[in-house]
Amino acid sequence: MSSSFARCYRLTKTDEYSSVFGFRRAIRGRWLMLHYQPGQPGGSARLGLVVGKKLLKRAVDRNRVKRVIRDQFRRRRAELPPVDLVVRLAARPDALHDGQLAEDFLALLGKLTAHRTKREAS
């Protein structure tokens, strides 16, 4: 299986982001917030990223956050259910450590699968 981040695995249009935000389901981590919406049956997980200038002024820092999250998504995409995800930076990290950002994102994915299995069971 390819571990690329092809266009079919991304949220690209404003309407796609708006529909995920409009679904109003979110999980908060230490620095990140994960908004999610069930995707199309038979499809795959898709990712969108929002890292604003308000929290990280330097473009190099914003790009680093996005790079870490995209990398973790690529590695875990096959394990994820068909869901549209928007990851947003919710708090300014004191110091940017790739490992801590990756752990926060993976913890959010773990909570997401726990929420989904709870709902399907009831």
Side-chain angles (χ1 to χ4, degrees), residues 38-78:
Q40 308 211 347
S44 63
R46 298 188 307 164
L47 177 70
L49 296 164
V50 178
V51 182
K53 286 183 186 178
K54 190 174 188 179
L55 295 175
L56 290 175
K57 301 290 185 203
R58 297 178 350 160
V60 67
D61 294 334
R62 294 192 302 274
N63 291 338
R64 185 175 180 187
V65 169
K66 291 187 269 187
R67 186 170 50 249
V68 168
I69 294 169
R70 276 195 307 262
D71 182 49
Q72 292 302 316
F73 176 78
R74 273 193 295 263
R75 293 176 188 215
R76 306 294 190 282
R77 184 184 68 230

Side-chain angles (χ1 to χ4, degrees), residues 68-111:
V68 168
I69 294 169
R70 276 195 307 262
D71 182 49
Q72 292 302 316
F73 176 78
R74 273 193 295 263
R75 293 176 188 215
R76 306 294 190 282
R77 184 184 68 230
E79 304 162 10
L80 294 173
V83 64
D84 290 343
L85 306 171
V86 175
V87 179
R88 184 171 63 92
L89 190 65
R92 178 177 299 150
D94 301 330
L96 284 176
H97 296 291
D98 295 352
Q100 291 176 341
L101 285 171
E103 285 176 16
D104 195 25
F105 180 63
L106 294 177
L108 290 174
L109 290 180
K111 288 180 185 178

